[in-house]
Amino acid sequence: MSLAVSSHPLVASSKPWRPVWRAAAGTATPQHRLLQQALAADALSPATLGGLLQAVQRHDLPPGPCRLPLAAQAPSWWLVVAGQVLVGKAADDGSLVASRLVPAGQWLDVASAWSGRGWLETAVCRTPVTLWALPLQTLMAHCADDPALLHAMGRVMADRVRQLTEGCQELVTKDVTARLASWLLRQLPAQDGGPVEIRLVEEKRSIACQLAMAKETLSRCFRRLVELGCIEIQGYRVTVLDRRGLEGVAGVAVP
């Protein structure tokens, strides 16, 4: 999915970036590990990682609308390195109706580099944010020497397609309560333990929009999950008490 940015004056610092830490031979720097994790590729050679990092453009942004001089930026993959970015559609009153939250370590946009159309959605920095722009030309050049990078890029794009496909399938196969249960499960850590608290960082109107329901319907669904003993809720804090029960409501196969 691509993103759109309004044509406001630049309010971020934008500068070429070079590795800050020089590691001993055979030792990965924090930057190496971050990029390797974002690409979900353990097999990338040190030469490939080093070459990619040398080409990174770093952008430091304050909280608020994400304003970047995209016309001056080469087509790139965009990675959130620090902070959180809300992505969605601008409402008539100028507020953002968020469709997803992109935390540090996740790709903000991998589509616009291929389409050449710029960002199609509105992005708002919820906190101070650091973005890396990794030029597509550099990625493709290194793919020729390191096939593992080509496979890693394919997996990143395939995972985004899977997320979009699953979202569409949920809309047509699940009722409103099941969609909310599925959404809550996606906010949970992978490990299955005791009660887990989720702090909702998006407005409930935005969550309702993501799930294709009215805000009032979302409130009823939250109450239903409370009645079922799956969750407790206080304001914007949701505590998941029964993960298996939540999985049952969401229609997730439980072994």
Side-chain angles (χ1 to χ4, degrees), residues 52-115:
L52 295 178
L53 288 172
Q54 288 291 331
V56 160
Q57 291 279 332
R58 171 174 171 160
H59 301 269
D60 296 309
L61 306 172
C66 184
R67 298 165 180 167
L68 291 167
L70 294 183
Q73 176 71 55
S76 301
W77 280 28
W78 292 85
L79 179 68
V80 179
V81 177
Q84 297 177 330
V85 181
L86 284 169
V87 177
K89 181 180 179 182
D92 293 338
D93 61 3
S95 62
L96 180 74
V97 181
S99 60
R100 59 192 175 104
L101 175 71
V102 185
Q106 298 295 316
W107 294 99
L108 176 63
D109 173 60
V110 298
S112 63
W114 304 97
S115 68

